[in-house]
Amino acid sequence: MTEKTNSNSSSDSSSDLSNSEQNNQVIHAEENSAKSAALTAFTLVRHDNGIAHLVVDVIGENVNTLKTEFAEQIDAVLAEIKADKTITGIVLCSGKKDSFVAGADINMLDACQSREEVVALSRQGQRIFTLLEQLPIPIVAAIDGTCLGGGLELAMACHARICSDNVKTSLGLPEVQLGLLPGSGGTQRLPKLVGLQKSLDMMLTGKQLRAKQALKAGLVDDVVPNSVLLNVAEQKAISLHQRGKSLTKRKLGLMDKLLENNSVGRNIVYQQAQKTVQAKTQGNYPAPLKIIDCIRTGIEISAEQGYKLEAEHFADLVMSDESAQLRQLFFATTAMKKEQGVANVTPEKITKVGVLGGGLMGGGIAFVTATKANLPVRVKDINHKGISQALKYSYQILNKKVKRRFLLNSEMQKQLAMITGSVDYTGFKAIDIVVEAVFEDLSLKQNMVAEIEENGHENTIFASNTSSLPIGKIAAKAKRPENVIGLHYFSPVDKMPLVEIIPHEKTSDQTISSTVAFAKKQGKTPIVVKDKAGFYVNRILAPYMNEAAILLLDGEPVDKIDKALVKFGFPVGPMQLLDEVGIDVGAKIGPILQADLGERFAAPAAFDKLLADGRLGKKAKKGFYLYQKNNLVKTLQNRLKGIKPGQKQVDESIYSLLNLKPMGSLSAAEISKRCTYMMLNEAARCVDEGIVRNARDGDIGAIFGIGFPPFLGGPLRYIDKIGAKSVVAQLSQWAEQYGERYTPCEALVTMAENSQSYYS
C-alpha cells in the first residue's frame, strides 16, 4: 500500500503484511501527519487506491470536540477534496485513541451573547454537514470509541458508518441531558436512519448505543474489529463509489409499517411521546417537547423547515435558564474530576479491595468496584449466604445487560470473576482498602476496624459506609486512626452517582486523596464533608422530610404531598422516598441529628405509631403506599376508578392509624415551597459551618444524592435565583406562623443584609 500525505510524499509497505499490521502503519502515519499539520484539526492523507483518510485530531486535547473555529478548516479541506479528481472516496477517522468525536465544545455556547448568535452557530453546523453530505464522492465514517452529540451528527452526514467492536465505542445524542437538542441536523438525520420511534427514544433520553445495538438499529452499516476498521471503511467507500453512492434502505418491521409509514400512525407516536415526556418532566424541562416538534416538522412538512426550526429551538434552549443550570452542573462535575481529595497529595495506588458485609449495600459496592473500577474485590461475610447475595447482585445486573446485547456473555463472566467471597480474612493482607457495609452498630464497626488492622497491612484503609455514626467514634479505638475514613454510598449503589467522603480529625491527607481517587474509579462523584451528625446529604434531607410529615399530620394527603414535590422537580415525593429508604432507617437517624444539632430535627412523635404497626416501608410491604399485588376483583375496581395498573396507591389505613382526616387545604406550590425552603436553610448552614467545602459541592451533593431538581442548579444556586432577601423574608414569616423551625440561619440573614450570593 502506498500513502500520500499533504505534501504528496509516498512510501511503500510490503504486500505480505497482515491487515492488522497494515492498519497500524496507516494509523501511525496518519497520527504523525496530523501532528505535523500546522494548526489544523483536519488532515487529509491520500492513498494510491483513490481513497483519502480525513483524520480528525484536535491539537492539545485528549478527545476530539468540535469548535466554532473549525468551520474554516473544514471548508478548506472540503475544497481541497473537490479539487483533487484523483480522490474517489473518503474515510473519516480519528487520530485519538478510543474517541471518534466526543461532541461539540459546550464552552462556545456560553460565549454566545444573544439568541441570534446561537441561531447562526446552529445554521453554520448544519451548513457544514450538508456540504459533507453533498460531496460528489462517498465519505465513510470509521468510528472507534465515543461518538456523541456533534460527533454523531458529523458521522450521520457521511454516506455510511462502520464502527469498531471496542467496548468503549458508543453512539448517541445526549444533548437533552444539558437541556438542549441536537443543533447541527441531528433531529432531521437520525429519524431517516433509525426510524421515528427509535430516534425519539434516543434523543428524548440521551441514550447511548453500543456497537451491536447501533447496527441493529440501522445507525451503522457494519461492526468490525478495530484492527480492520480502516480497511473495511475503505472497501465500503470503494463499493459506494462503484455503485454511485446508492444507500441501503432501512428494513421496516410490521410495527414500523403500521406506525411510521402513514400520518395517522405517526400522530399516535408523537402524541404518546408527548404524554410520556410530560409525565417524566412535569413540564420543568422544555427540550424534549422541542425535540418532538423538530422531528415532526421535518417529517410532516419538509426537511428545510425542520432544519430551520431546529436552529431556532436550539437557540431558545441555549438561552434558557434550565439549560444554563444544567451546563453549569456539567462544568462543575468536570472540574471535580480533575481535583484530588487534598491538593498536592498524590493518592496511593489501590490494586485490591475488600468489602465487609454481603447485603444490598455490600453487593452494590462490590459490583461497582469490579465493573467500573476494574479492581478485584473480596467480599467477607459471616456466612456463605451473605456472599451468595453479593454475587447474585452483580449477576442479575450483568445478565440483564447481556440479554439487551449491551454486554457479551464472555465479558460478563470476566467481570464476575473479579468478585470472590470468604467467611474469614484469607487474602486480606494484600488488600489496600476495605469498605465496611455492616449494620449501624458502633461497637460492631469498632470491632471491624480492629480486625482489619490485625488482618490487613499497615496502610490498609478502613472506609466505613455508615450513614449516621460519627467516623471519629468508629476510629476511637483504632491503632492506626489515620487510615480510618467514612465512605458513604447511596442506595442503589449501581445507580446513585454520589459518595460522601468523611475524614475525622486524625484521618491522614494520604487516606483522603486515596479514597477520593478510589471513588472516582468506581464511577462515583465524591464530595469531601465534615464528620458531623448527618454529614451533608442526610442533614439537609431530614428537615425536608420532617416538614412533609408535619404537613401530613396537618391533614394534607400522602399522594398530594408527593405529587407537589414531583411537580416541583424531585424524582419521587418525600413520603414515597421514606417508604423506599425505610421508615425505620429514618427513625434511627432522626434522634442522632436531634441530639447533635437541636430540636429543629425532632421528628413528629406520631411516627412512633408507624413503627409499632410494623410499617417499615417497601421492604416490609407496608408503609404509606400499598405493595401487595391486587387480585382480579381489585384490579377491575381500580380500573373503574381510573387507577392505572402499576400506579402507586396510598394505603388509606395510614390515616386512621394517625387519627387524621386528609382534607388538604394547601396548594401544591405552598407544599413544595415549605418543604424545599427547609432544605435551603439547612444547606446554607452547612456551607457556613464548612460541612461541605464550598457551594458547588453542596449543590452537587443535593442533586446527585437526593435528586434536588437539576434544572434549578442545586439548593445554593436556587437561593441565588430567588435572592437571599426573599428566602429570609419567607422563612421569617413562616417562623411567626408555624414555629421556630423556620427561623432563617445567620448566614442567610447576613447574605440578605449585604445583598450577597453564593456564585458571582
Side-chain angles (χ1 to χ4, degrees):
M1 183 187 292
T2 303
E3 297 181 8
K4 295 183 180 179
T5 65
N6 290 35
S7 60
N8 289 324
S9 62
S10 64
S11 61
D12 292 326
S13 57
S14 302
S15 58
D16 60 347
L17 287 175
S18 69
N19 281 343
S20 178
E21 289 171 320
Q22 288 180 13
N23 194 60
N24 287 335
Q25 284 196 1
V26 169
I27 289 172
H28 292 315
E30 291 169 0
E31 284 178 348
N32 293 334
S33 177
K35 287 173 184 174
S36 65
L39 301 175
T40 182
F42 302 89
T43 307
L44 201 60
V45 183
R46 294 166 172 82
H47 293 255
D48 281 349
N49 60 2
I51 304 299
H53 290 195
L54 180 54
V55 186
V56 187
D57 196 348
V58 180
I59 298 166
E61 302 282 348
N62 293 326
V63 296
N64 291 322
T65 54
L66 302 177
K67 304 175 187 290
T68 313
E69 58 266 29
F70 291 167
E72 289 183 10
Q73 296 178 23
I74 296 174
D75 280 338
V77 79
L78 290 180
E80 185 180 350
I81 291 168
K82 287 180 182 178
D84 190 340
K85 302 304 179 186
T86 65
I87 299 176
T88 58
I90 300 289
V91 169
L92 178 66
C93 55
S94 169
K96 307 289 186 189
K97 181 178 173 60
D98 297 330
S99 171
F100 179 70
V101 176
D105 184 356
I106 301 169
N107 288 293
M108 66 184 178
L109 302 180
D110 283 6
C112 293
Q113 300 295 311
S114 67
R115 180 182 182 277
E116 290 69 31
E117 279 186 66
V118 185
V119 170
L121 188 67
S122 176
R123 295 298 271 177
Q124 176 178 273
Q126 292 173 355
R127 177 189 66 81
I128 290 170
F129 291 163
T130 299
L131 287 175
L132 204 66
E133 192 175 49
Q134 293 176 348
L135 271 177
I137 57 173
I139 178 165
V140 178
I143 302 165
D144 178 49
T146 49
C147 177
L148 304 173
L152 182 55
E153 289 183 293
L154 170 64
M156 289 193 296
C158 297
H159 304 119
R161 287 147 298 282
I162 311 295
C163 73
S164 73
D165 59 5
N166 184 346
V167 292
K168 294 185 179 179
T169 296
S170 59
L171 301 90
L173 295 172
E175 286 86 351
V176 72
Q177 294 168 0
L178 294 177
L180 301 171
L181 54 74
S184 296
T187 65
Q188 304 306 300
R189 289 193 176 92
L190 188 61
K192 293 176 183 176
L193 290 171
V194 302
L196 174 59
Q197 294 170 87
K198 189 65 179 178
S199 63
L200 282 168
D201 180 43
M202 287 180 66
M203 282 188 269
L204 295 178
T205 63
K207 183 183 292 184
Q208 297 177 24
L209 304 184
R210 297 296 185 189
K212 286 193 174 180
Q213 292 173 314
L215 179 63
K216 184 180 178 183
L219 186 54
V220 299
D221 299 84
D222 203 357
V223 175
V224 298
N226 186 40
S227 57
V228 296
L229 176 64
L230 296 178
N231 287 340
V232 173
E234 282 186 14
Q235 292 306 310
K236 185 69 174 179
I238 291 168
S239 173
L240 287 174
H241 176 68
Q242 289 172 345
R243 54 190 175 93
K245 257 188 355 180
S246 59
L247 303 178
T248 306
K249 288 190 176 182
R250 188 174 69 92
K251 292 179 181 178
L252 297 177
L254 179 60
M255 287 304 294
D256 289 339
K257 290 175 182 176
L258 289 172
L259 292 175
E260 299 190 18
N261 269 13
N262 61 88
S263 60
V264 175
R266 290 194 299 271
N267 278 333
I268 293 171
V269 175
Y270 299 135
Q271 289 167 11
Q272 188 57 46
Q274 288 169 337
K275 283 182 184 177
T276 303
V277 161
Q278 188 60 33
K280 286 187 176 180
T281 68
Q282 298 292 315
N284 290 318
Y285 296 87
L289 289 178
K290 289 187 181 294
I291 288 171
I292 297 169
D293 195 21
C294 289
I295 295 172
R296 188 172 198 161
T297 301
I299 293 173
E300 307 303 332
I301 301 176
S302 70
E304 183 183 353
Q305 286 297 312
Y307 282 113
K308 184 174 182 292
L309 187 65
E310 179 187 82
E312 291 172 355
H313 278 347
F314 181 72
D316 290 335
L317 292 171
V318 169
M319 303 308 289
S320 71
D321 187 56
E322 292 85 358
S323 178
Q325 296 293 3
L326 292 170
R327 296 198 307 270
Q328 286 300 325
L329 180 62
F330 171 79
F331 290 134
T333 52
T334 301
M336 287 184 78
K337 289 175 184 176
K338 300 174 184 176
E339 296 175 3
Q340 295 173 182
V342 178
N344 302 318
V345 176
T346 304
E348 289 285 346
K349 189 175 181 181
I350 290 172
T351 57
K352 292 182 180 178
V353 180
V355 173
L356 302 181
L360 281 175
M361 293 302 291
I365 295 163
F367 172 78
V368 296
T369 303
T371 61
K372 302 287 185 183
N374 198 30
L375 291 171
V377 55
R378 173 68 58 89
V379 179
K380 194 267 180 189
D381 200 281
I382 57 173
N383 57 50
H384 292 286
K385 184 180 178 182
I387 296 166
S388 297
Q389 285 178 330
L391 293 171
K392 184 180 178 182
Y393 187 106
S394 293
Y395 172 77
Q396 288 177 331
I397 296 172
L398 293 173
N399 194 43
K400 282 181 183 176
K401 291 186 177 184
V402 171
K403 286 181 177 178
R404 286 166 35 219
R405 298 189 177 184
F406 198 77
L407 191 73
L408 292 171
N409 187 66
S410 58
E411 184 62 26
M412 177 181 79
Q413 298 302 328
K414 181 181 173 184
Q415 291 182 7
L416 285 174
M418 299 281 279
I419 306 172
T420 57
S422 175
V423 292
D424 56 31
Y425 286 105
T426 303
F428 270 65
K429 278 290 180 189
I431 284 174
D432 302 308
I433 184 169
V434 173
V435 184
E436 167 270 303
V438 300
F439 299 111
E440 288 289 89
D441 181 279
L442 181 59
S443 37
L444 174 61
K445 291 178 187 287
Q446 288 176 339
N447 287 340
M448 295 291 98
V449 172
E451 288 181 13
I452 292 304
E453 287 182 328
E454 182 70 26
N455 292 283
H457 59 73
E458 63 177 13
N459 294 319
T460 298
I461 295 169
F462 182 94
S464 175
N465 177 47
T466 179
S467 59
S468 56
L469 296 172
I471 307 303
K473 288 184 179 179
I474 293 172
K477 298 179 180 179
K479 294 177 183 176
R480 297 187 285 272
E482 67 275 8
N483 293 344
V484 180
I485 194 166
L487 181 54
H488 181 208
Y489 296 84
F490 296 84
S491 185
V493 179
D494 59 292
K495 292 179 180 175
M496 295 297 284
L498 187 78
V499 290
E500 290 179 307
I501 309 279
I502 312 114
H504 63 100
E505 287 183 355
K506 295 181 181 178
T507 304
S508 70
D509 288 350
Q510 188 70 68
T511 296
I512 297 171
S513 282
S514 297
T515 307
V516 167
F518 171 63
K520 286 180 180 177
K521 284 196 77 172
Q522 291 178 316
K524 300 298 179 184
T525 299
I527 58 169
V528 179
V529 303
K530 260 190 183 178
D531 184 21
K532 198 166 181 179
F535 311 134
Y536 174 67
V537 171
N538 282 337
R539 179 167 165 180
I540 67 169
L541 181 63
Y544 163 86
M545 300 290 277
N546 281 351
E547 191 63 24
I550 290 168
L551 291 173
L552 171 66
L553 296 175
D554 284 346
E556 296 297 330
V558 169
D559 52 345
K560 183 182 175 184
I561 294 169
D562 276 353
K563 285 175 183 176
L565 273 304
V566 169
K567 176 68 178 172
F568 182 77
F570 283 91
V572 296
M575 313 316 291
Q576 185 184 337
L577 180 60
L578 200 51
D579 263 6
E580 297 280 349
V581 172
I583 296 169
D584 56 327
V585 174
K588 285 180 184 177
I589 295 173
I592 295 170
L593 294 170
Q594 186 179 349
D596 280 21
L597 301 169
E599 287 305 306
R600 70 179 185 279
F601 283 93
F607 268 44
D608 291 340
K609 293 181 181 179
L610 300 180
L611 298 178
D613 191 46
R615 290 179 186 266
L616 306 183
K618 188 177 180 180
K619 61 188 174 187
K621 295 188 176 180
K622 193 176 182 183
F624 294 102
Y625 289 90
L626 294 171
Y627 295 98
Q628 304 294 340
K629 287 185 177 180
N630 293 328
N631 56 31
L632 182 60
V633 174
K634 186 65 176 175
T635 302
L636 290 172
Q637 288 174 343
N638 285 343
R639 284 186 178 178
L640 291 172
K641 292 177 184 177
I643 299 170
K644 298 175 183 177
Q647 184 177 330
K648 282 197 177 298
Q649 290 178 258
V650 175
D651 184 348
E652 298 290 336
S653 65
I654 195 88
Y655 300 125
S656 56
L657 178 69
L658 297 174
N659 298 317
L660 299 177
K661 290 184 179 179
M663 304 298 289
S665 59
L666 298 178
S667 67
E670 181 80 358
I671 290 170
S672 62
K673 197 173 182 182
R674 278 177 59 175
C675 292
T676 305
Y677 272 47
M678 293 297 283
M679 184 182 288
L680 301 186
N681 201 16
E682 203 59 41
R685 276 195 183 93
C686 287
V687 174
D688 186 48
E689 294 173 17
I691 301 300
V692 285
R693 290 177 169 181
N694 48 49
R696 181 204 68 182
D697 286 8
D699 282 335
I700 287 173
I703 291 169
F704 289 171
I706 53 179
F708 189 91
F711 70 92
L712 294 176
L716 290 317
R717 280 197 182 274
Y718 189 45
I719 289 172
D720 281 0
K721 181 180 179 180
I722 303 165
K725 285 183 181 178
S726 177
V727 175
V728 168
Q730 181 64 85
L731 287 170
S732 300
Q733 180 189 325
W734 283 335
E736 290 181 14
Q737 285 180 265
Y738 305 117
E740 289 185 8
R741 69 181 185 277
Y742 280 109
T743 304
C745 68
E746 288 182 18
L748 272 181
V749 173
T750 302
M751 285 178 67
E753 289 172 349
N754 297 318
S755 299
Q756 294 172 325
S757 61
Y758 286 104
Y759 298 89
S760 57

